[in-house]
Amino acid sequence: MLSAIMEDYLKAIYYLQGETDERVRTSTLAEHMGVEQPSVTSMVKKLAKRDFVHYEPYKGVVLTDTGIPVALEIIRHHRLLERYLTERLEYDWAEVHDEADRLEHHISNQFADRIAEQLGNPAVDPHGDPIPTADLDVSPPQSGETLADQQVGDKVRIERVPDNDPDLLRYLSEHGITPTTVVEIVETTSFGMVTLDPDGTDERVALPEEVARSITAQTLTGASN
Amino acid sequence: MLSAIMEDYLKAIYYLQGETDERVRTSTLAEHMGVEQPSVTSMVKKLAKRDFVHYEPYKGVVLTDTGIPVALEIIRHHRLLERYLTERLEYDWAEVHDEADRLEHHISNQFADRIAEQLGNPAVDPHGDPIPTADLDVSPPQSGETLADQQVGDKVRIERVPDNDPDLLRYLSEHGITPTTVVEIVETTSFGMVTLDPDGTDERVALPEEVARSITAQTLTGASN
DNA sequence: TTATAAACTTAGTCCCGTCTAATTTCGCTC
DNA sequence: GAGCGAAATTAGACGGGACTAAGTTTATAA
């Protein structure tokens, strides 16, 4: 058996190595988990002893073939819960993350399978992240392009938004920006501001480049490339 | 904040003092929690320091006015989950206990309120136990009579069955005994066996007196009293 | 009223997951 | 290739929750 904390570490490693497909450094993991570095070192040793990660001192960790499915299972739970909470229990987009983050460790796979079935085995969660299937296949990464990569005049379809910042999510939904929304890039500035025009509206929505880079989108038309 | 373990202790104390309305002894609690006595002593001291229980060494514990609502909240979560799992997620009567026992500590009150609403604020769980309301009112204890208190020839309506023995629950449901079922007592023996005839059927269902005493029932007709 | 068994508590240990402080290693620059 | 700052690890401690072994207290019975 695996503690909820250990599952959280594995999930974090999965996300962090996913971005780079490289070894995850102790410091990165510490920051992501909100703990100090020595805590990470000691946990990582435990995970290595149980063969969930490859650990090389001073070099970082990577998930093993044993660790990956554990992380994917948790991610499946999380994303199914987010979907279920919004779709069946009237939770708001912005509220689901914390509840899902706790429950993901405590629901059985049976529970996950049942809610998946009720929802018709959805492919993505409310933020556009792909939901691993019951046998832990996960959709290929989306386009990889973000709102920050676009040029003025491009029209793009929003693919996914980060799920862990309630304020941002509230802001986005208030301005009609959700996965599948189509937006046009109306302005980018040298000082890091991206301005959008959601679909047919006249409204202008401005986002810091930092945020724009965390929102992935699929190019539909325009001058990019 | 309160750990899941502490919540479990408070819940256990609630159940145990409920049966006797007296101080709960260390040994009783130890057996119920599946731990050794010293573990109970040390936990009980922590709970007392935080004012969830009154603790008098060598005398036992009672919940305080601070402790009671905590226990009731957990019980509300548990029973709502049992109901939700059977009614909305196709869980079997016999399967729900363990899942509910884990999740009860991790769902928010918001989650509980939402599933209560979805279910139409049910008064009882699938085993017939009353579900505390959102403001933690709990229905008065039922008749208090059990199947073991009946006389041959009595007809009774099953009120509640214990929720924590899957084998027993499977056996009961296979033989058509669930809360609200009407049964007739057809035989009681000096060596502790009670035989029932569920409703109009001809089937005989035998139960050890020990088990009969754990099933409460409301007398409809007959010679008892 | 005292002896004794059962119940309870205290003492001390262990593992988990965290921390701070101190040390070691890495990797880069000169 | 020597020195230096950043990153990582080791050392040691702590609170949570459990355990075993060793004392106390209580209650019961003679």
Side-chain angles (χ1 to χ4, degrees):
Chain A
M1 267 308 80
L2 218 49
S3 71
I5 300 280
M6 283 180 164
E7 290 180 350
D8 267 335
Y9 274 93
L10 294 178
K11 185 175 64 153
I13 296 166
Y14 181 89
Y15 283 129
L16 295 170
Q17 84 179 34
E19 285 166 14
T20 63
D21 207 19
E22 268 307 318
R23 281 196 273 245
V24 178
R25 323 195 115 271
T26 302
S27 50
T28 315
L29 204 38
E31 188 190 8
H32 196 267
M33 294 293 298
V35 299
E36 299 301 318
Q37 289 192 10
S39 310
V40 172
T41 302
S42 92
M43 176 57 81
V44 145
K45 283 180 176 176
K46 283 174 206 158
L47 292 173
K49 188 174 295 179
R50 297 174 65 176
D51 201 39
F52 292 112
V53 298
H54 288 305
Y55 167 54
E56 209 169 337
Y58 297 100
K59 298 290 176 51
V61 289
V62 196
L63 292 178
T64 61
D65 289 351
T66 311
I68 290 171
V70 176
L72 285 175
E73 192 70 62
I74 302 300
I75 291 167
R76 171 173 160 81
H77 288 187
H78 183 93
R79 294 182 180 166
L80 280 171
L81 281 164
E82 287 198 339
R83 184 81 185 230
Y84 196 81
L85 292 171
T86 53
E87 204 159 298
R88 295 300 167 90
L89 296 179
E90 301 175 41
Y91 273 70
D92 189 272
W93 208 30
E95 300 176 319
V96 292
H97 184 73
D98 290 350
E99 188 95 43
D101 241 17
R102 266 179 295 115
L103 291 181
E104 62 184 6
H105 305 292
H106 304 288
I107 67 173
S108 62
N109 289 350
Q110 183 181 22
F111 187 102
D113 293 345
R114 293 285 162 81
I115 65 179
E117 189 188 335
Q118 290 259 330
L119 295 167
N121 296 300
V124 296
D125 76 9
H127 311 95
D129 286 307
I131 300 175
T133 63
D135 43 9
L136 305 181
D137 282 338
V138 62
S139 314
Q142 300 108 321
S143 70
E145 283 184 277
T146 76
L147 282 186
D149 303 324
Q150 311 300 322
Q151 318 243 327
V152 170
D154 284 0
K155 283 202 169 186
V156 300
R157 188 191 313 281
I158 305 291
E159 272 184 352
R160 60 161 295 283
V161 301
D163 72 341
N164 57 359
D165 183 342
D167 288 341
L168 173 60
L169 288 170
R170 260 185 284 277
Y171 180 83
L172 292 177
S173 62
E174 270 167 21
H175 293 81
I177 297 180
T178 62
T180 75
T181 305
V182 173
V183 303
E184 182 179 339
I185 314 295
V186 296
E187 189 183 5
T188 65
T189 70
S190 61
F191 51 86
M193 181 70 78
V194 178
T195 308
L196 313 170
D197 177 7
D199 214 0
T201 75
D202 256 355
E203 205 182 351
R204 257 74 180 137
V205 183
L207 296 173
E209 194 188 335
E210 175 64 25
V211 170
R213 199 177 306 113
S214 72
I215 298 175
T216 67
Q218 190 182 9
T219 305
L220 297 180
T221 70
S224 76
N225 280 16
Chain B
M1 268 306 80
L2 218 47
S3 71
I5 300 281
M6 284 179 162
E7 289 180 350
D8 268 333
Y9 273 93
L10 294 178
K11 185 174 66 153
I13 295 167
Y14 181 88
Y15 283 130
L16 296 170
Q17 85 179 32
E19 284 166 14
T20 64
D21 207 20
E22 268 308 317
R23 283 195 272 246
V24 179
R25 322 196 114 269
T26 303
S27 51
T28 315
L29 203 39
E31 188 188 9
H32 196 268
M33 294 295 296
V35 300
E36 298 301 318
Q37 289 191 13
S39 311
V40 172
T41 302
S42 92
M43 176 56 82
V44 146
K45 282 179 176 174
K46 282 173 206 160
L47 292 173
K49 187 175 296 180
R50 296 174 66 176
D51 201 40
F52 292 114
V53 299
H54 289 303
Y55 168 54
E56 209 170 337
Y58 297 100
K59 297 292 175 50
V61 288
V62 196
L63 291 178
T64 61
D65 289 351
T66 312
I68 290 172
V70 176
L72 285 175
E73 192 70 62
I74 302 299
I75 291 168
R76 170 173 159 81
H77 288 187
H78 183 92
R79 295 183 180 165
L80 280 171
L81 281 163
E82 287 199 339
R83 184 81 184 229
Y84 197 81
L85 292 171
T86 54
E87 205 159 299
R88 295 301 167 88
L89 297 179
E90 300 174 42
Y91 273 70
D92 189 89
W93 207 31
E95 300 175 319
V96 292
H97 184 73
D98 289 351
E99 188 96 42
D101 241 16
R102 265 178 295 114
L103 291 181
E104 62 184 6
H105 305 293
H106 304 289
I107 66 173
S108 63
N109 289 349
Q110 182 181 23
F111 187 102
D113 293 345
R114 293 285 161 82
I115 64 179
E117 189 188 335
Q118 290 260 330
L119 295 167
N121 297 300
V124 295
D125 77 9
H127 310 96
D129 287 306
I131 300 175
T133 63
D135 43 9
L136 305 182
D137 283 337
V138 62
S139 314
Q142 300 106 325
S143 72
E145 282 185 278
T146 76
L147 281 186
D149 303 323
Q150 310 299 323
Q151 317 244 325
V152 171
D154 285 0
K155 283 203 170 188
V156 300
R157 189 190 313 283
I158 305 291
E159 272 183 351
R160 61 160 295 282
V161 301
D163 72 343
N164 57 359
D165 183 342
D167 287 342
L168 173 60
L169 288 170
R170 261 185 284 276
Y171 180 83
L172 292 177
S173 63
E174 270 168 20
H175 293 82
I177 298 180
T178 61
T180 74
T181 304
V182 173
V183 303
E184 182 179 339
I185 314 295
V186 295
E187 190 183 3
T188 66
T189 71
S190 61
F191 52 87
M193 180 70 79
V194 179
T195 308
L196 313 170
D197 178 6
D199 214 2
T201 75
D202 256 354
E203 206 181 351
R204 256 74 182 138
V205 183
L207 296 173
E209 194 187 334
E210 176 63 25
V211 170
R213 200 175 306 114
S214 72
I215 298 175
T216 66
Q218 189 183 8
T219 305
L220 298 179
T221 70
S224 76
N225 282 17

